[in-house]
Amino acid sequence: RIFLTIKKTIITKNDCYKAGRTITPKGIMIHSTATPGVMAKDWFSRWNKGNLDTAVHAFVDDSVICQHLEWNHRAWHCGSSGNNTHISMELCEPRDWKTNKAYFTACYKNAVELAVYLCQKFSLDANNIISHKEGYKKGIASNHGDPEHWFKHFGVTMDTFRADVKKKLKGTSLSPKEPSSLQKGDQGKKVTALQKRLNLMKIRLALAFN
């Protein structure tokens, strides 16, 4: 089993969150931010406030997945009826978004893994995954070209993405996992477990030197 690391920080001050509407997810819509250099961790402070008409479920970059709405919360991500049916993820572009293959490969991999997890969680399959551009063609999203405008620089299409998700769905079980690192001020089960391990180590060390 592969564990998927998701950093969950809900944007409780956002008007979309306050609207409090939920959906039964029937698909996943892939976006890209078109804001080069702004990474996943940067969006919480930008969107955790009122007077905004946008909100997505998650941002993905080369190193982390940041979830900002519950997966069944009705997000404001595509400007049309797709908000009623689709979970949204935004892929974050680096400053050198047209040429940075290492970044793209890592970000793409994280997006595939998140899509696999969501498919498993909501009994979806790879055919339920579309891009914002494809959503527009289906009449359920506003007129945008993402993320294909980025994918094409690395020889990738949405068909490639769906095929990679399908491949992982056949033999891989993904589960969410919180970041392994602890920070000052953290509380909860992980801190308690770590303290128990440290206490056990102290006892063993004391026995070893007596």
Side-chain angles (χ1 to χ4, degrees), residues 6-189:
I6 300 173
K7 182 180 180 183
K8 184 176 178 180
T9 49
I10 302 300
I11 47 175
T12 57
K13 297 179 181 180
N14 188 284
D15 293 335
C16 177
Y17 172 83
K18 292 178 181 179
R21 295 181 61 184
T22 58
I23 64 172
T24 300
K26 293 184 169 53
I28 302 164
M29 190 175 293
I30 312 296
H31 305 262
S32 62
T33 62
T35 313
V38 182
M39 296 293 99
K41 63 181 177 57
D42 301 321
W43 287 96
F44 178 80
S45 61
R46 288 171 172 245
W47 282 16
N48 190 34
K49 55 188 176 183
N51 299 317
L52 294 176
D53 60 0
T54 53
V56 301
H57 293 94
F59 289 90
V60 181
D61 64 22
D62 63 331
S63 61
V64 68
I65 297 166
C66 294
Q67 179 186 355
H68 293 328
L69 291 172
E70 298 295 345
W71 302 121
N72 68 338
H73 194 104
R74 183 183 183 274
W76 298 345
H77 63 92
C78 69
S80 191
S81 62
N83 291 334
N84 299 324
T85 53
H86 283 65
I87 299 170
S88 53
M89 72 168 84
E90 288 269 5
L91 311 187
C92 299
E93 301 162 8
R95 293 192 185 280
D96 51 351
W97 62 278
K98 291 183 180 180
T99 57
N100 194 334
K101 185 174 182 179
Y103 176 95
F104 176 82
T105 300
C107 181
Y108 178 91
K109 178 177 178 292
N110 286 339
V112 168
E113 291 187 348
L114 178 56
V116 170
Y117 166 65
L118 293 172
C119 283
Q120 292 175 334
K121 184 175 180 66
F122 294 102
S123 299
L124 305 172
D125 63 41
N127 294 324
N128 300 126
I129 302 170
I130 61 173
S131 68
H132 194 154
K133 182 178 180 178
E134 291 173 328
Y136 172 67
K137 290 181 178 179
K138 291 177 177 290
I140 64 169
S142 56
N143 188 5
H144 283 254
D146 57 312
E148 283 93 336
H149 77 288
W150 185 23
F151 280 15
K152 68 182 182 181
H153 291 283
F154 302 96
V156 173
T157 67
M158 281 302 299
D159 285 336
T160 311
F161 188 91
R162 284 184 283 267
D164 288 338
V165 171
K166 189 176 296 185
K167 191 183 302 180
K168 278 189 169 287
L169 280 170
K170 285 183 178 179
T172 305
S173 178
L174 290 166
S175 299
K177 182 182 180 183
E178 295 299 320
S180 59
S181 60
L182 293 174
Q183 300 178 358
K184 184 177 180 180
D186 282 351
Q187 299 179 6
K189 294 181 179 179

